[in-house]
Short mmCIF file of all heavy atoms in Angstrom, two decimals:
data_model
loop_
_atom_site.label_atom_id
_atom_site.label_comp_id
_atom_site.label_asym_id
_atom_site.label_seq_id
_atom_site.Cartn_x
_atom_site.Cartn_y
_atom_site.Cartn_z
N GLY A 328 4.08 -25.26 -14.67
CA GLY A 328 4.67 -24.34 -15.54
C GLY A 328 4.81 -22.88 -15.06
O GLY A 328 5.49 -22.05 -15.63
N GLY A 329 4.21 -22.55 -13.89
CA GLY A 329 4.29 -21.21 -13.41
C GLY A 329 3.43 -20.20 -14.20
O GLY A 329 2.77 -20.57 -15.23
N MET A 330 3.54 -18.94 -13.79
CA MET A 330 2.64 -17.90 -14.46
C MET A 330 3.44 -16.72 -14.84
O MET A 330 4.35 -16.37 -14.15
CB MET A 330 1.58 -17.47 -13.50
CG MET A 330 0.52 -18.46 -13.23
SD MET A 330 -0.65 -17.83 -11.97
CE MET A 330 -0.07 -18.65 -10.57
N ASP A 331 2.98 -16.07 -16.04
CA ASP A 331 3.75 -14.79 -16.40
C ASP A 331 3.07 -13.70 -15.68
O ASP A 331 2.09 -13.90 -14.98
CB ASP A 331 3.67 -14.63 -17.87
CG ASP A 331 2.26 -14.65 -18.45
OD1 ASP A 331 1.28 -14.43 -17.63
OD2 ASP A 331 2.08 -14.85 -19.69
N GLN A 332 3.60 -12.45 -15.80
CA GLN A 332 3.13 -11.30 -15.12
C GLN A 332 1.70 -11.02 -15.43
O GLN A 332 0.94 -10.67 -14.48
CB GLN A 332 4.02 -10.09 -15.28
CG GLN A 332 3.89 -8.96 -14.39
CD GLN A 332 4.13 -9.40 -12.93
OE1 GLN A 332 5.04 -10.03 -12.63
NE2 GLN A 332 3.14 -9.06 -12.09
N ASN A 333 1.34 -11.21 -16.67
CA ASN A 333 -0.08 -10.87 -17.16
C ASN A 333 -1.11 -11.75 -16.37
O ASN A 333 -2.09 -11.27 -15.82
CB ASN A 333 -0.22 -11.01 -18.62
CG ASN A 333 -1.61 -10.63 -19.02
OD1 ASN A 333 -2.06 -9.58 -18.70
ND2 ASN A 333 -2.21 -11.46 -19.86
N THR A 334 -0.78 -13.08 -16.27
CA THR A 334 -1.67 -13.93 -15.61
C THR A 334 -1.65 -13.57 -14.10
O THR A 334 -2.80 -13.54 -13.50
CB THR A 334 -1.15 -15.38 -15.74
OG1 THR A 334 -0.96 -15.68 -17.20
CG2 THR A 334 -2.07 -16.43 -15.08
N LEU A 335 -0.56 -13.22 -13.51
CA LEU A 335 -0.55 -12.90 -12.07
C LEU A 335 -1.40 -11.65 -11.83
O LEU A 335 -2.10 -11.57 -10.84
CB LEU A 335 0.87 -12.58 -11.61
CG LEU A 335 1.78 -13.85 -11.40
CD1 LEU A 335 3.17 -13.47 -11.19
CD2 LEU A 335 1.22 -14.68 -10.13
N ASN A 336 -1.33 -10.69 -12.80
CA ASN A 336 -2.05 -9.51 -12.58
C ASN A 336 -3.62 -9.68 -12.60
O ASN A 336 -4.42 -8.95 -12.09
CB ASN A 336 -1.83 -8.45 -13.73
CG ASN A 336 -0.35 -7.87 -13.56
OD1 ASN A 336 0.18 -8.03 -12.55
ND2 ASN A 336 0.12 -7.22 -14.60
N HIS A 337 -4.09 -10.73 -13.40
CA HIS A 337 -5.51 -10.99 -13.52
C HIS A 337 -5.99 -12.12 -12.73
O HIS A 337 -7.19 -12.53 -12.92
CB HIS A 337 -5.82 -11.05 -14.99
CG HIS A 337 -5.47 -9.89 -15.77
ND1 HIS A 337 -4.37 -9.79 -16.55
CD2 HIS A 337 -6.07 -8.70 -15.79
CE1 HIS A 337 -4.42 -8.52 -17.07
NE2 HIS A 337 -5.34 -7.83 -16.63
N LEU A 338 -5.12 -12.74 -12.00
CA LEU A 338 -5.43 -14.05 -11.39
C LEU A 338 -6.75 -14.19 -10.67
O LEU A 338 -7.50 -15.27 -10.87
CB LEU A 338 -4.27 -14.36 -10.37
CG LEU A 338 -3.96 -15.76 -10.04
CD1 LEU A 338 -3.66 -16.54 -11.33
CD2 LEU A 338 -2.85 -15.84 -9.07
N PHE A 339 -7.18 -13.28 -9.85
CA PHE A 339 -8.30 -13.35 -9.04
C PHE A 339 -9.53 -12.66 -9.73
O PHE A 339 -10.59 -12.53 -9.05
CB PHE A 339 -8.09 -12.74 -7.65
CG PHE A 339 -6.97 -13.41 -6.91
CD1 PHE A 339 -5.75 -12.90 -6.85
CD2 PHE A 339 -7.20 -14.62 -6.46
CE1 PHE A 339 -4.74 -13.57 -6.14
CE2 PHE A 339 -6.22 -15.35 -5.79
CZ PHE A 339 -4.93 -14.78 -5.61
N ASN A 340 -9.41 -12.26 -10.96
CA ASN A 340 -10.50 -11.63 -11.66
C ASN A 340 -11.52 -12.78 -12.08
O ASN A 340 -11.12 -13.75 -12.63
CB ASN A 340 -10.12 -10.93 -12.95
CG ASN A 340 -9.40 -9.65 -12.59
OD1 ASN A 340 -9.14 -9.26 -11.49
ND2 ASN A 340 -8.94 -8.99 -13.63
N PRO A 341 -12.89 -12.49 -11.83
CA PRO A 341 -13.79 -13.53 -12.22
C PRO A 341 -13.71 -13.78 -13.71
O PRO A 341 -13.51 -12.71 -14.48
CB PRO A 341 -15.21 -12.86 -11.82
CG PRO A 341 -14.86 -11.82 -10.95
CD PRO A 341 -13.39 -11.36 -11.10
N PHE A 342 -13.87 -14.93 -14.13
CA PHE A 342 -13.87 -15.33 -15.58
C PHE A 342 -12.44 -15.22 -16.25
O PHE A 342 -12.34 -15.44 -17.40
CB PHE A 342 -14.93 -14.57 -16.40
CG PHE A 342 -16.33 -14.70 -15.69
CD1 PHE A 342 -16.90 -13.54 -15.21
CD2 PHE A 342 -16.96 -15.92 -15.69
CE1 PHE A 342 -18.18 -13.65 -14.59
CE2 PHE A 342 -18.20 -16.03 -14.99
CZ PHE A 342 -18.81 -14.86 -14.56
N PHE A 343 -11.51 -14.91 -15.50
CA PHE A 343 -10.07 -14.96 -16.15
C PHE A 343 -9.59 -16.35 -16.18
O PHE A 343 -9.37 -17.04 -15.11
CB PHE A 343 -9.15 -14.06 -15.33
CG PHE A 343 -7.69 -14.25 -15.92
CD1 PHE A 343 -7.31 -13.53 -17.11
CD2 PHE A 343 -6.82 -15.11 -15.34
CE1 PHE A 343 -6.03 -13.72 -17.67
CE2 PHE A 343 -5.52 -15.25 -15.81
CZ PHE A 343 -5.13 -14.62 -16.93
N THR A 344 -9.38 -16.88 -17.26
CA THR A 344 -8.77 -18.21 -17.41
C THR A 344 -7.84 -18.34 -18.68
O THR A 344 -8.06 -17.62 -19.61
CB THR A 344 -9.93 -19.36 -17.56
OG1 THR A 344 -9.37 -20.63 -17.64
CG2 THR A 344 -10.83 -19.12 -18.69
N THR A 345 -6.87 -19.21 -18.58
CA THR A 345 -6.03 -19.51 -19.67
C THR A 345 -6.28 -20.91 -20.16
O THR A 345 -5.52 -21.36 -21.01
CB THR A 345 -4.53 -19.33 -19.25
OG1 THR A 345 -4.24 -20.28 -18.28
CG2 THR A 345 -4.17 -17.98 -18.90
N LYS A 346 -7.28 -21.59 -19.60
CA LYS A 346 -7.57 -22.93 -20.00
C LYS A 346 -8.72 -23.00 -20.91
O LYS A 346 -9.71 -22.24 -20.74
CB LYS A 346 -7.89 -23.78 -18.66
CG LYS A 346 -6.75 -23.72 -17.65
CD LYS A 346 -7.17 -24.38 -16.39
CE LYS A 346 -6.11 -24.03 -15.33
NZ LYS A 346 -6.61 -24.39 -13.98
N GLU A 347 -8.69 -24.05 -21.78
CA GLU A 347 -9.74 -24.21 -22.77
C GLU A 347 -11.11 -24.37 -22.05
O GLU A 347 -12.08 -23.83 -22.43
CB GLU A 347 -9.41 -25.31 -23.68
CG GLU A 347 -9.70 -24.98 -25.11
CD GLU A 347 -9.04 -25.99 -26.04
OE1 GLU A 347 -9.61 -26.98 -26.35
OE2 GLU A 347 -7.90 -25.74 -26.48
N GLY A 348 -11.12 -25.35 -21.14
CA GLY A 348 -12.33 -25.72 -20.48
C GLY A 348 -12.58 -24.97 -19.21
O GLY A 348 -13.49 -25.24 -18.45
#
Side-chain angles (χ1 to χ4, degrees):
M330 288 176 258
D331 58 17
Q332 195 55 50
N333 181 50
T334 306
L335 282 170
N336 289 346
H337 299 101
L338 203 58
F339 298 105
N340 287 358
F342 307 113
F343 172 79
T344 180
T345 57
K346 300 172 195 168
E347 222 165 89

